[in-house]
Amino acid sequence: MRKQNAEFKTAFTSEANALKNTDYFGYVELDQYACYVIADGIDDQVDGISARLAVSAAVAAFSEAPSMSKKGMSSCLRAANRALLEAKSKMKLKASILVVLTDYSKLRYGQAGNIRLRLYRDGFLKYQTEDQSLAMDLAASEEITADKVASHEERNNLYTCLGQEKDFQPQISGKIKLTNADAIALYTRGIWENIDEGEIKDVFADATDDPQKTVNDMEDMLLSRQPAELQTYTLAVIFANKVYIDPNKKRKIRKVVMAAIPILTVVVILSIVLFIRHNQKMNKIQAMEAAYLKSIEYIQTDNYVRAEEECKTALKLAEQVKDKKRQKEIGNYQLLIETVISADDALDNKKYADSGTLFQEAAKRARYADNQGKDYISGRLDLVSDYTSVYDLIGLGDSLALNLQYDKAEEKYLEAKALAGKIYFDEGRNAAMAALEKLYADQKGEKEAEADQRKEQAAQQEAGTNYMALGDKAFTQGDYESAKVHYLAAKQKYQQLKDVVQKKAAEEKIKAANAKIKQASALAKEAAGYEGQAEAAISDKDFISAKKYYLLAKDIYATLKNQDKIDEISRKMEVLEIKEQQEKEEEEKNSKAAGTDNGTGESGKDTGAVKTNENKTSDAEDTLSNTHGD
């Protein structure tokens, strides 16, 4: 009945480029509903299979369950998408699609891609679709102008089209009421890339009731331009020359009104009841708002105890009127108030660390309560920080005092005392004063102990100096053993004083004494050797050599400053002189006796012998002189 009492005329054209036609248009007009489907293939198949599959699947889905509901439209679009996906095992198929459903009095369209629909009424554009492309989004955000979409490089960059496995989200319109003489145009990108919207509007402004003439006029306009790269194009025109009018519409309205009278009565009664309840609710809302505002005012005056009372009242009323938004807002205020009260209690109980943590938490919660109480919280945080700083300064002073840095410790205690006085923190001030008094008492005892220690150190230093002086004196006198003993005593004193420099000096002197002792021992051994050689020479009556060896030994003992040995050698040399004299006298006596026996000639011979001995004595003295020189 609907189709018979309406007049819908359809005409279309679809032309391929030099190689293939990837567009497809199909429609079916039933008694109650009609379905028009146009598709534009985006695949590379020569026969344009994707568009044909999509249109066939959509028309088939409509034919199985004719309807123009959103569900029916969705069924058509998803059937078309599924058809391309099922064929995708061998081919990559994609397409744009536009479906129009109508009951001959209204229409609904569904779209995926960039096929366009335009509805003209009385020569004017009434409805239009928007491409699901990046270029159209750029135009919507005014990054490009609308007239640039047809030539923009992103016009075919689609975010929704057939062939998508995921995120397939086509556009589905609401119902659009049709009037007599409405004209509907469906066309693919081959049309709108080459003819602008104003020209299309002019064609429909001059249209008659014959859609084929309009199709021909549009195609003539397109071909007359002879585009250099004309793509496949499809244009379908539907003229609703007469739309269907329901003859039972008035009777249906009367039935609806008669059925509505008892309903209206119930509605009136319910309205009265609801009005009363509404008034009660409004009274509660007013009371809630008043309590809410009072809690904010108390927060602003730092009276959190009274603020908590008002906030609880406001929250209870918000729950009664089921105002979720107010419940959340007032709940945030209540959390803020409770946290501040807990922080103040911790501060009063001298739990400064807990108080600081709670005030920091309150500062975070204030952000969700319009930053109310922010100044109060900030001030309390500063106060907690000052209280903590007082005790930190005292603690730092204690550490410095333990390390005997009394001046710096006193400085920290005085800083703590000044800060406590500035913030009227009596407890902290008293703690700083007590620390100062203890510091001064400790300093007094420490100074006395230091004085005694300094005296002891001075005595030790003096003893060490004396030992060093005695060692130096003995060293100068050649008494290296005594010098070593004194140096060792000095080293011990300096070691007790932890005087590294003086201790090292003593050690150097000990090394020098040891070297001298070792050297003296070697010289003494050498001198003893000379004495032995002298004794051997005396036994051989070689008095000259004996004297030489005694002089060498004496010279060494003189170097060693061994006066006893020098005196001993001197005595031995005196004895040697006596023996030598005696030996000479004995020789002279023997010589004279021999001269008397042998005559003058023998005497002369003896004289020559004596002279030779004198020369020998002179040579020995020269040898001794050379030895001393060495």
Side-chain angles (χ1 to χ4, degrees):
M1 294 293 291
R2 286 178 173 269
K3 185 176 185 303
Q4 292 178 359
N5 291 282
E7 184 182 346
F8 276 61
K9 291 184 177 181
T10 304
F12 71 94
T13 182
S14 181
E15 293 294 336
N17 60 12
L19 295 177
K20 57 187 176 180
N21 187 350
T22 55
D23 290 354
Y24 205 81
F25 173 72
Y27 67 99
V28 58
E29 293 179 345
L30 304 178
D31 184 57
Q32 298 294 321
Y33 302 100
C35 173
Y36 304 89
V37 186
I38 183 172
D40 180 1
I42 312 175
D43 57 79
D44 295 327
Q45 301 302 315
V46 175
D47 56 358
I49 189 173
S50 59
R52 186 169 69 254
L53 283 175
V55 172
S56 299
V59 172
F62 168 78
S63 300
E64 288 178 6
S67 168
M68 66 169 295
S69 64
K70 282 190 175 181
K71 183 178 179 180
M73 177 64 76
S74 178
S75 177
C76 292
L77 292 169
R78 295 193 179 279
N81 189 49
R82 187 164 54 252
L84 266 61
L85 290 174
E86 289 174 353
K88 202 172 181 180
S89 58
K90 295 182 179 179
M91 298 172 286
K92 294 182 178 180
L93 303 183
K94 288 189 177 182
S96 293
I97 190 170
L98 192 145
V99 179
V100 176
L101 301 179
T102 180
D103 62 356
Y104 302 106
S105 63
K106 298 179 290 294
L107 71 77
R108 184 195 301 275
Y109 65 83
Q111 176 193 27
N114 58 359
I115 297 177
R116 296 183 178 181
L117 176 147
R118 298 292 185 266
L119 190 152
Y120 297 94
R121 182 171 296 166
D122 298 327
F124 295 97
L125 180 63
K126 188 67 176 178
Y127 296 100
Q128 63 180 345
T129 60
E130 290 187 355
D131 302 345
Q132 292 173 292
S133 67
L134 179 57
M136 187 60 73
D137 287 348
L138 294 174
S141 60
E142 297 184 353
E143 295 184 43
I144 62 173
T145 57
D147 60 340
K148 299 297 182 182
V149 172
S151 58
H152 197 275
E153 61 182 355
E154 301 295 345
R155 63 188 182 278
N156 296 316
N157 188 356
L158 308 179
Y159 55 84
T160 296
C161 66
L162 296 180
Q164 283 183 277
E165 295 181 1
K166 297 180 180 179
D167 300 325
F168 179 63
Q169 297 177 346
Q171 294 179 351
I172 299 178
S173 73
K175 290 182 179 180
I176 301 172
K177 186 177 180 180
L178 297 173
T179 62
N180 292 339
D182 280 349
I184 304 155
L186 314 176
Y187 47 92
T188 61
R189 54 197 169 100
I191 299 293
W192 55 259
E193 286 180 352
N194 298 289
I195 304 176
D196 64 35
E197 297 293 335
E199 292 173 323
I200 295 174
K201 176 179 173 295
D202 291 341
V203 171
F204 278 89
D206 298 333
T208 62
D209 61 352
D210 182 9
Q212 188 61 55
K213 181 178 183 306
T214 303
V215 169
N216 294 338
D217 291 343
M218 286 276 289
E219 188 171 23
D220 291 342
M221 180 184 294
L222 173 65
L223 297 176
S224 66
R225 302 206 173 158
Q226 298 181 351
E229 296 181 0
L230 178 61
Q231 301 294 323
T232 297
Y233 62 90
T234 298
L235 169 66
V237 176
I238 306 164
F239 278 6
N241 293 333
K242 179 179 182 302
V243 299
Y244 172 73
I245 299 174
D246 189 353
N248 295 317
K249 187 175 182 179
K250 292 183 178 180
R251 285 192 292 272
K252 289 178 181 178
I253 294 173
R254 189 179 302 113
K255 287 180 180 180
V256 170
V257 170
M258 294 302 294
I261 290 175
I263 296 173
L264 288 173
T265 304
V266 174
V267 169
V268 170
I269 296 171
L270 287 174
S271 298
I272 294 171
V273 172
L274 292 174
F275 179 74
I276 295 171
R277 289 185 178 180
H278 176 72
N279 282 342
Q280 293 175 345
K281 182 177 180 180
M282 290 304 297
N283 291 333
K284 288 182 178 180
I285 290 173
Q286 290 177 359
M288 174 192 71
E289 294 293 340
Y292 183 28
L293 292 174
K294 283 183 180 179
S295 67
I296 295 174
E297 290 173 359
Y298 282 127
I299 290 173
Q300 291 173 345
T301 58
D302 302 334
N303 189 345
Y304 284 87
V305 175
R306 290 300 304 277
E308 184 179 30
E309 296 174 359
E310 295 295 339
C311 194
K312 286 181 178 179
T313 301
L315 184 59
K316 184 178 179 181
L317 291 169
E319 291 172 351
Q320 290 177 0
V321 300
K322 298 180 180 180
D323 190 336
K324 299 294 183 182
K325 182 179 178 181
R326 276 294 190 229
Q327 286 181 45
K328 184 177 180 180
E329 292 176 359
I330 298 170
N332 289 333
Y333 271 90
Q334 188 175 29
L335 287 173
L336 169 64
I337 294 166
E338 290 174 351
T339 306
V340 171
I341 290 174
S342 297
D344 281 331
D345 290 341
L347 183 60
D348 293 339
N349 292 323
K350 303 173 184 178
K351 297 179 180 178
Y352 304 117
D354 293 343
S355 179
T357 301
L358 288 168
F359 275 123
Q360 288 175 354
E361 181 64 23
K364 293 178 182 177
R365 291 180 174 178
R367 294 200 296 266
Y368 302 100
D370 300 324
N371 287 319
Q372 292 295 332
K374 190 174 181 180
D375 293 339
Y376 177 80
I377 294 168
S378 178
R380 301 301 272 181
L381 278 171
D382 290 342
L383 187 62
V384 171
S385 177
D386 288 340
Y387 284 2
T388 305
S389 295
V390 169
Y391 285 111
D392 287 344
L393 287 168
I394 293 172
L396 182 56
D398 292 341
S399 298
L400 292 168
L402 287 174
N403 292 322
L404 306 180
Q405 300 182 48
Y406 297 116
D407 292 341
K408 292 183 178 180
E410 181 184 22
E411 180 182 339
K412 298 304 176 183
Y413 291 145
L414 290 172
E415 285 183 28
K417 177 185 173 185
L419 180 58
K422 182 180 178 181
I423 60 176
Y424 305 101
F425 184 27
D426 294 336
E427 182 182 354
R429 186 174 181 278
N430 293 335
M433 290 290 293
L436 280 169
E437 291 173 0
K438 183 178 182 302
L439 176 68
Y440 295 146
D442 291 344
Q443 278 184 296
K444 183 178 179 182
E446 185 71 23
K447 287 179 180 178
E448 292 175 354
E450 285 179 357
D452 294 339
Q453 186 178 1
R454 282 196 296 271
K455 289 180 181 179
E456 178 65 23
Q457 288 178 345
Q460 295 282 354
Q461 188 72 38
E462 185 178 0
T465 303
N466 290 335
Y467 281 128
M468 289 287 278
L470 290 172
D472 291 341
K473 183 177 180 181
F475 192 92
T476 303
Q477 294 175 352
D479 189 357
Y480 303 118
E481 292 289 349
S482 297
K484 180 179 178 181
V485 172
H486 292 313
Y487 290 148
L488 286 171
K491 176 184 175 182
Q492 184 179 7
K493 293 296 181 183
Y494 291 135
Q495 189 168 354
Q496 292 173 354
L497 291 169
K498 297 181 180 179
D499 189 338
V500 178
V501 175
Q502 293 294 344
K503 176 187 172 186
K504 187 174 181 180
E507 290 173 346
E508 293 295 329
K509 288 180 180 292
I510 291 169
K511 289 180 181 179
N514 284 332
K516 288 293 185 182
I517 291 170
K518 184 177 180 181
Q519 181 182 2
S521 176
L523 289 173
K525 185 176 180 181
E526 183 182 356
Y530 286 139
E531 286 187 70
Q533 288 178 311
E535 296 296 333
I538 292 172
S539 297
D540 294 336
K541 294 183 180 182
D542 186 358
F543 301 114
I544 299 300
S545 296
K547 185 185 292 186
K548 179 184 72 173
Y549 288 130
Y550 276 137
L551 287 174
L552 289 172
K554 185 178 180 180
D555 187 56
I556 292 173
Y557 289 132
T559 302
L560 296 174
K561 297 182 181 180
N562 190 339
Q563 191 60 44
D564 291 340
K565 294 298 291 184
I566 292 171
D567 293 341
E568 182 183 344
I569 295 297
S570 296
R571 287 192 297 273
K572 286 183 178 182
M573 290 184 71
E574 289 176 359
V575 172
L576 177 62
E577 289 290 340
I578 294 171
K579 283 185 178 183
E580 185 180 10
Q581 186 62 35
Q582 288 176 351
E583 186 66 29
K584 284 182 179 182
E585 291 176 355
E586 184 67 26
E587 286 181 358
E588 288 178 356
K589 183 177 179 181
N590 292 334
S591 295
K592 287 179 179 181
T596 303
D597 293 336
N598 297 324
T600 305
E602 292 295 327
S603 177
K605 186 179 180 180
D606 290 340
T607 302
V610 170
K611 184 176 181 181
T612 301
N613 286 336
E614 287 177 355
N615 291 337
K616 183 179 180 180
T617 302
S618 177
D619 292 338
E621 288 177 353
D622 291 341
T623 302
L624 180 62
S625 176
N626 291 334
T627 303
H628 282 296
D630 293 337

